[in-house]
Every structure is written in structure tokens, then in C-alpha cells.
């Protein structure tokens, strides 16, 4: 059997509850608009058979870095950011993806897709509120 020792947290002398600073909120709609413009601007004229492997890597790096920089402009503090970019040859194949997560209020994820006759690109962006 457990016994209590009668210990309690100290009571505030003023009796007032200390106000907490509001937690930051990430504006996904501003970022979504940016990514929706960035992907076609970067890839609209890309043709898979004419792409060197290093060019695909450069596009993925450029898209990832530019999205991350925009995230830091939108909310420079209070979040950890992840940007995942995948570019694949469009062979008419189907595809599915699924993400499972445990979120706190304020954590966000968005996914944008760009495709043309030759390739498709998915950009998944995650902002997790830092403690």
C-alpha cells in the first residue's frame, strides 16, 4: 500500500497564475502558396530522358533549401523543420503514400505534388514545434 507523506507543491504568494508566452503558430497557407509556385517554376520544362543524375540531385537540393529558407522567413524561431523532396520519372505508374504521426497543437505537415508528362515531384514539409 502506498502512503502519502503529505507533500504538496508550494502555493504562489500572490495567488495569481503566471502568464505564459503564447506558443508560436506556423502559417501553412503562406508556405503552401510558395511551394505551389516554386515546383512548376523549377521543373516545368524538365524532361526526364534528358536529365543527368546530378541535375536531379541539384533540383531536389534547390527545392529543399528554398523551402527551408522560406520556412525560416515565415517563423524563424520555435520550430524544427524537415523538407523531403522526391523526383521520379513519370511512367504512368500509380502510387500511394501514407504518414502516421503524433502531433501537438501547432505542429504541421503539408504535401505538394507537381507533375508533367516526363516526371513528378513530391515535396513534404514538416514543422514541429520545439520545446
Amino acid at each position: 500500500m502506498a502512503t502519502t507523506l503529505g507533500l504538496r507543491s508550494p502555493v504562489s504568494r500572490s495567488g495569481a497564475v503566471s502568464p505564459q508566452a503564447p506558443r508560436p503558430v506556423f502559417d501553412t497557407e503562406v508556405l503552401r502558396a510558395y511551394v505551389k509556385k516554386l515546383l512548376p517554376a523549377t521543373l516545368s520544362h524538365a524532361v526526364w530522358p534528358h536529365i543527368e543524375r546530378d541535375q536531379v540531385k541539384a533540383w531536389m537540393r534547390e527545392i529543399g533549401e528554398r523551402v527551408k529558407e522560406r520556412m525560416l522567413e515565415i517563423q524563424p524561431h520555435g520550430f524544427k523543420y524537415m523538407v523531403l523532396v522526391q523526383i521520379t520519372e513519370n511512367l504512368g505508374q500509380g502510387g500511394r503514400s501514407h504518414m502516421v504521426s503524433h502531433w501537438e497543437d501547432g505542429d504541421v505537415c503539408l504535401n505538394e505534388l507537381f507533375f508533367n508528362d516526363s516526371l513528378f515531384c513530391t515535396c513534404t514539409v514538416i514543422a514541429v514545434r520545439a520545446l
Side-chain angles (χ1 to χ4, degrees), residues 54-108:
D54 290 338
Q55 180 62 57
V56 176
K57 285 181 175 181
W59 281 332
M60 289 188 297
R61 182 180 307 261
E62 176 188 352
I63 290 167
E65 288 295 327
R66 289 179 67 183
V67 170
K68 182 190 72 171
E69 288 169 10
R70 184 67 177 119
M71 294 173 83
L72 288 168
E73 290 171 4
I74 293 168
Q75 185 60 257
H77 303 290
F79 286 90
K80 296 178 183 179
Y81 298 123
M82 292 168 268
V83 181
L84 304 136
V85 180
Q86 179 181 9
I87 297 176
T88 306
E89 184 176 11
N90 186 353
L91 299 173
Q93 71 274 31
R96 295 190 186 274
S97 68
H98 181 73
M99 183 175 132
V100 176
S101 58
H102 177 76
W103 296 108
E104 290 186 14
D105 291 341
D107 295 345
V108 295

Side-chain angles (χ1 to χ4, degrees), residues 7-38:
L7 300 175
R8 296 185 291 177
S9 297
V11 177
S12 172
R13 292 182 196 202
S14 67
V17 176
S18 62
Q20 290 184 342
R23 298 199 70 178
V25 176
F26 190 85
D27 190 346
T28 56
E29 293 312 310
V30 170
L31 184 63
R32 185 180 305 277
Y34 177 77
V35 175
K36 279 187 175 192
K37 290 179 183 176
L38 175 65

